[in-house]
Structure formats: structure tokens, C-alpha cells
Amino acid sequence: MKPSLIPARERLIVALDVPDVEAARAMIARLGDSVEFYKIGYQLGYAGGLPLIRELASSGKKVFADFKLHDIGNTVAKGVESVAKLGATFLTVHAYPQTMKAAVEARGASLQILAVTVLTSYDNDDLHAAGFRMSVTDLVEARAMQAQTLGVDGLVCSAEEVAKLRAVTGAQMRLVTPGIRPAGSATGDQKRIMTPAKAIAAGADYLVVGRPVMEASDPKHAAEQIVAEIEASTS
Ligand code: C5P
């Protein structure tokens, strides 16, 4: 589906960054039909949250499984098959060629693979310390091109990287951006932030939002406002 055809409500992905399933269920009930797409990561996934993926999927919601897989190809493939069976829509892997290839081959018909190029907490010094002799910018671009060649469905990137990655990968690549802050909300530990409207205008397909919704006094209202902002910047 072309990004412009994805309904605004589906372009908001709320990060269920909570410690247990009970807290997740309470938040899902509060958000009701304001949210269509949820992200489940290490914290909730490893705290009994995996069955919640199936549960959300069977109730018509979409789930982004943010598990950032990276292992030998065979192990990645088996993990991807298991996540696909849970009914997730997106699954992240680290953007190493073997890992991306194995994940794409094992994903089946309904799961889409997103690659994380370089973690946004890494700068050039961190890359050098990890043994890479490339800058963050060059490695992000090289890995985006590899992802494109290997048939990866999307990339997780900061809103600032969207325009450049779109030019490298073309219109079909799903660009999914965290670090989103509606005007006036607290930045927390995010350093490179953008408002929903600006990120959409820059070409992001999906926005991942955690604290601005999860910690709002009225989470449903906060989610609805973000959806309205996405809608306004696409119409
Ligand atoms: O609370 P906040 O809106 O900052 O949450 C953003 C979500 O996106 C978190 O679940 C975080 O782990 C995730 N994320 C991120 N930056 C990345 C990749 C993922 O903030 N580069």
C-alpha cells in the first residue's frame, strides 16, 4: 500500500513500554479504538507479553514486535517463523546482511521485516569502539541499500534521516520513526525529536510514540490528537 493510502490512525504506533501484561491490558482498554497499532518490545515481551501479540491481532489490532533479532541465519529464520505465527505485522532485526536475508526468507505472507540500520544511541566513537571503520552516516546509508537489495520491507530511522533514506530506497520502503514529540510535550531522553506533522511531511510512513501517549493524563485524547495531526498533514 502506498503511504498516502495508509489510514492516519494506522500510522500511529503506540509503544506499550510497561512492565507487565496487566498494565498493558489496562492501557489498551483506556485507549480503545483511538489506537490501531501497538509496539511490544523487550520489556513487555520478556514479561509474559508474547501471548498479547496473538490476542491483539485476533481483536483486529496490529502489532509491531520490536525484538531486534540478530543471530546465525537458521536461528533468525526459526525466530521469525514463530513471531509470524503470533500474528505480528512488523518485526525488527539488526541490519546485518545474513540476518536480513534469513528474516526476509522466513517471514511468510503477512509479517513485514523492519531493519534497524545503526542504533540511534551510537555515534562515530561508539562505532569505532565496536570495530567499524565507517561513520554512522555512511553505515546507515550502506545498510539501507543492502536492506533494499535483500527485500526488507522497512527501516526504523530517526525523522531526520527519512528524506535521505527515502532517496536511497525508493517509495516502497516503509520508514518507521520513533523520537516523535507533539509540540509542548516533554522530550525525555530523546535527543533528535520531531513533531508528528513534521515527521509525516518529511516522508515517514509510521510514527512510534511512547511516553507522550503512555504518560499523558488522558492517553486516549493524546493519541487522538496525534492521529488528527497526521490526518491534517496528509490531506
Ligand atoms: O517514549 P518514546 O516516545 O521516546 O518511545 C519511543 C519508543 O521507540 C521506545 O519504545 C523506544 O525503545 C523506541 N525506539 C527509539 N529509538 C530508536 C528505536 C526505537 O526510541 N532508535
Side-chain angles (χ1 to χ4, degrees):
M1 199 187 287
K2 277 192 188 159
S4 55
L5 298 177
I6 308 169
R9 193 170 297 283
E10 210 180 296
R11 297 174 75 170
L12 167 66
I13 303 178
V14 171
L16 278 174
D17 292 333
V18 288
D20 53 53
V21 175
E22 201 185 347
R25 279 193 213 290
M27 183 53 80
I28 293 162
R30 260 184 109 174
L31 290 169
D33 56 12
S34 65
V35 174
E36 291 281 314
F37 215 143
Y38 286 103
K39 181 169 92 71
I40 293 180
Y42 290 178
Q43 185 188 21
L44 181 58
Y46 295 147
L50 296 184
L52 199 56
I53 300 180
R54 197 192 297 279
E55 211 176 292
L56 281 166
S58 3
S59 72
K61 305 287 185 193
K62 293 187 186 256
V63 182
F64 169 0
D66 191 11
F67 299 146
K68 298 188 177 70
L69 305 188
H70 180 47
D71 207 310
I72 60 169
N74 183 60
T75 302
V76 169
K78 299 297 175 200
V80 168
E81 284 168 14
S82 294
V83 174
K85 281 189 201 138
L86 290 172
T89 297
F90 287 158
L91 168 67
T92 40
V93 303
H94 284 284
Y96 286 78
Q98 275 189 15
T99 297
M100 294 191 283
K101 184 169 183 293
V104 165
E105 285 173 5
R107 75 192 188 293
S110 54
L111 179 65
Q112 296 177 51
I113 302 299
L114 306 181
V116 178
T117 53
V118 177
L119 292 169
T120 48
S121 57
Y122 273 54
D123 61 17
N124 289 337
D125 290 341
D126 294 310
L127 272 191
H128 286 168
F132 290 88
R133 295 289 168 261
M134 279 174 106
S135 67
V136 170
T137 314
D138 288 348
L139 188 55
V140 166
E141 196 170 322
R143 287 182 162 178
M145 284 161 76
Q146 287 171 334
Q148 169 81 4
T149 307
L150 290 167
V152 164
D153 303 288
L155 299 172
V156 179
C157 60
S158 78
E160 288 166 359
E161 290 169 337
V162 161
K164 192 167 177 198
L165 292 183
R166 180 67 72 205
V168 170
T169 60
Q172 288 310 311
M173 186 68 87
R174 295 286 169 253
L175 298 179
V176 180
T177 62
I180 300 298
R181 289 292 177 272
S185 60
T187 54
D189 56 358
Q190 296 282 13
K191 295 198 175 94
R192 288 171 286 157
I193 54 165
M194 226 181 247
T195 63
K198 283 199 175 136
I200 293 288
D205 297 312
Y206 295 89
L207 310 181
V208 177
V209 183
R211 288 161 288 184
V213 170
M214 300 292 287
E215 293 177 2
S217 54
D218 184 346
K220 187 169 186 177
H221 179 68
E224 273 164 354
Q225 281 201 312
I226 296 171
V227 172
E229 199 174 325
I230 295 173
E231 184 102 62
S233 48
T234 45
S235 53

